Amino acid sequence: MPEAFKNFIAGEWVAPSTGEYFDNRNPADWNDVIGRFPRSGPADMLKAIESAKRGFARWSKTPAPIRGQVLQRVGELLVERKDAIAKAMTREMGKVLAETRGDVQEGIDTAFYAATEGRRLFGRTVPSELRNKWAMSYRRPIGIAGLITPFNFPPALPTW
């Protein structure tokens, strides 16, 4: 029996509220069921959004250099698990292993790049067209986002 996966919401693996799952099959061998995945519904999405809002409130108060350290760790974990991730991706979508390794490398490169930006998050001061006015900007997290990405570049596009 293939493994039944769950949703990761609020730091926990939870079954879908619908109780429904679908089979994910290897396109190169339709008899190879990779796993059973949640057929989640609106209630699951709302729980995930509320959890993300709570996480964002905490994350946005975290100093940028520490956020950078977290992203550095993400890159390190991707390096440690690169081959396993690439093999799973090849099995799931049928892309050749050399290409899925390259996709994982994109995620690694992006994580390491973003990690360095934690030390460079500064704003700028610009001249105002009005007297006695001062104009400035600063960078900060702006909120949560829901992403739908194509199946054939799983780690690359979300990390970008």
Side-chain angles (χ1 to χ4, degrees):
M1 181 74 154
E3 181 179 357
F5 290 85
K6 296 180 178 181
N7 294 318
F8 191 70
I9 300 174
E12 296 180 19
W13 291 102
V14 295
S17 64
T18 62
E20 297 177 25
Y21 291 81
F22 66 92
D23 290 345
N24 184 5
R25 296 176 181 272
N26 180 338
D29 177 2
W30 198 246
N31 294 317
D32 178 17
V33 178
I34 295 165
R36 304 195 72 236
F37 288 83
R39 189 175 302 280
S40 302
D44 301 304
M45 184 183 68
L46 291 173
K47 278 184 186 177
I49 290 169
E50 288 307 312
S51 173
K53 286 179 180 177
R54 289 189 304 273
F56 171 72
R58 197 169 160 202
W59 179 252
S60 64
K61 292 180 181 140
T62 302
I66 294 173
R67 292 195 309 261
Q69 290 171 357
V70 170
L71 294 170
Q72 178 74 26
R73 183 64 182 137
V74 167
E76 292 166 357
L77 288 170
L78 287 171
V79 168
E80 290 171 18
R81 299 172 186 173
K82 181 177 181 176
D83 283 336
I85 293 168
K87 286 175 184 173
M89 289 169 49
T90 291
R91 185 175 172 219
E92 183 176 21
M93 73 175 115
K95 190 184 262 192
V96 297
L97 192 56
E99 288 189 23
T100 57
R101 282 187 180 120
D103 294 341
V104 178
Q105 188 62 50
E106 289 280 350
I108 292 166
D109 294 345
T110 302
F112 287 152
Y113 169 78
T116 63
E117 291 299 296
R119 292 272 173 205
R120 295 178 357 130
L121 279 183
F122 46 83
R124 58 188 180 138
T125 306
V126 295
S128 173
E129 69 277 4
L130 302 172
R131 292 176 195 204
N132 301 319
K133 294 291 178 178
W134 183 55
M136 61 164 274
S137 67
Y138 64 98
R139 296 171 68 182
R140 60 184 172 88
I142 58 170
I144 63 171
L147 305 175
I148 299 173
T149 64
F151 76 96
N152 58 338
F153 290 101
L157 293 177
T159 57
W160 292 342

